[in-house]
Amino acid sequence: MLRRGIQQMSDVIVREFQSTDADAFFELNREWIQRLFWLEPADLEVLWHPQTAILDPGGRIFMAVRNGICVGCCALIVIGPGEYELAKMAVTPTERRHGIGRKLIAAAIAKAERLGATRLYLETNRTLTGAILLYESMGFCHLPPARVKPSHYTRANVFMERMMCAPMMGSAVAQGMPQFSVPEAQ
């Protein structure tokens, strides 16, 4: 079973959103939201207008693609200087439990690091236990109630964040210089 999951993951690529992905981005999210909850006005604004709601303000959308078909997605939505919300995470039902969600989150975290993000934030629902476990395994921690701000979504009742390591301003990374790694001693 594990071998099958690894084999299936090998042909999934994660890439940034293209304008032709708009329908898939909408449908992937519509499927899970309507199956478990309902589409709220905040959902519709983002899903109907990903360019203006996510990309134009500096966010990113990632698509997981297998054989030319979009099977998953997630977004980084700008919420403040150096802060992004990890949102609109979806994997088509037949592709779940094969590591695609993990691959999408890893791509989003890597991009956030390259963008100089200091914090990633997300909102979810306590009934989505598999998603919560995935977020925890990717370094997200639950926010204490005192730090939770009102959500645009009535379904949101779990709030998490992942603090990012920001490079120092004088570092090679911050200056765009090449990085070198030192091999570990044997």
Side-chain angles (χ1 to χ4, degrees):
M1 182 172 170
L2 180 60
R3 177 159 303 289
R4 186 176 142 231
I6 291 171
Q7 186 177 20
Q8 288 179 351
M9 262 304 283
S10 67
D11 61 346
V12 173
I13 62 159
V14 174
R15 60 164 172 75
E16 290 209 26
F17 181 86
Q18 300 168 359
S19 59
T20 55
D21 296 329
D23 289 343
F25 180 68
F26 180 90
E27 187 55 32
L28 284 162
N29 280 285
R30 185 210 55 79
E31 184 281 322
W32 80 264
I33 295 169
Q34 284 190 325
R35 183 172 35 84
L36 299 171
F37 307 102
W38 61 91
L39 285 168
E40 300 182 44
D43 291 310
L44 295 173
E45 176 62 29
V46 170
L47 296 176
W48 281 340
H49 308 288
Q51 185 67 46
T52 56
I54 299 172
L55 301 173
D56 289 349
R60 298 291 195 276
I61 301 172
F62 303 91
M63 304 301 292
V65 181
R66 180 194 306 280
N67 299 324
I69 298 170
C70 295
V71 296
C73 61
C74 74
L76 289 175
I77 300 173
V78 175
I79 57 173
E83 296 187 350
Y84 295 85
E85 179 181 0
L86 181 72
K88 301 305 174 215
M89 177 80 187
V91 175
T92 194
T94 58
E95 299 288 341
R96 291 186 187 137
R97 314 287 294 156
H98 294 125
I100 295 171
R102 180 174 302 281
K103 197 169 186 178
L104 282 160
I105 294 171
I109 290 170
K111 185 62 165 192
E113 287 173 344
R114 288 191 300 278
L115 293 170
T118 56
R119 177 178 176 255
L120 295 181
Y121 167 82
L122 67 82
E123 299 177 351
T124 190
N125 184 280
R126 73 176 147 262
T127 63
L128 303 174
T129 54
I132 292 168
L133 290 170
L134 174 60
Y135 299 139
E136 290 170 343
S137 77
M138 299 296 287
F140 285 85
C141 300
H142 294 264
L143 284 174
R147 293 201 38 229
V148 173
K149 295 186 175 154
S151 173
H152 297 290
Y153 302 100
T154 58
R155 67 180 172 267
N157 57 18
V158 173
F159 306 88
M160 303 175 80
E161 72 180 358
R162 183 183 197 277
M163 301 308 291
M164 308 291 285
C165 295
M168 298 185 318
M169 289 312 294
S171 73
V173 173
Q175 295 174 10
M177 296 171 63
Q179 302 173 50
F180 302 94
S181 60
V182 178
E184 292 183 27
Q186 299 290 17

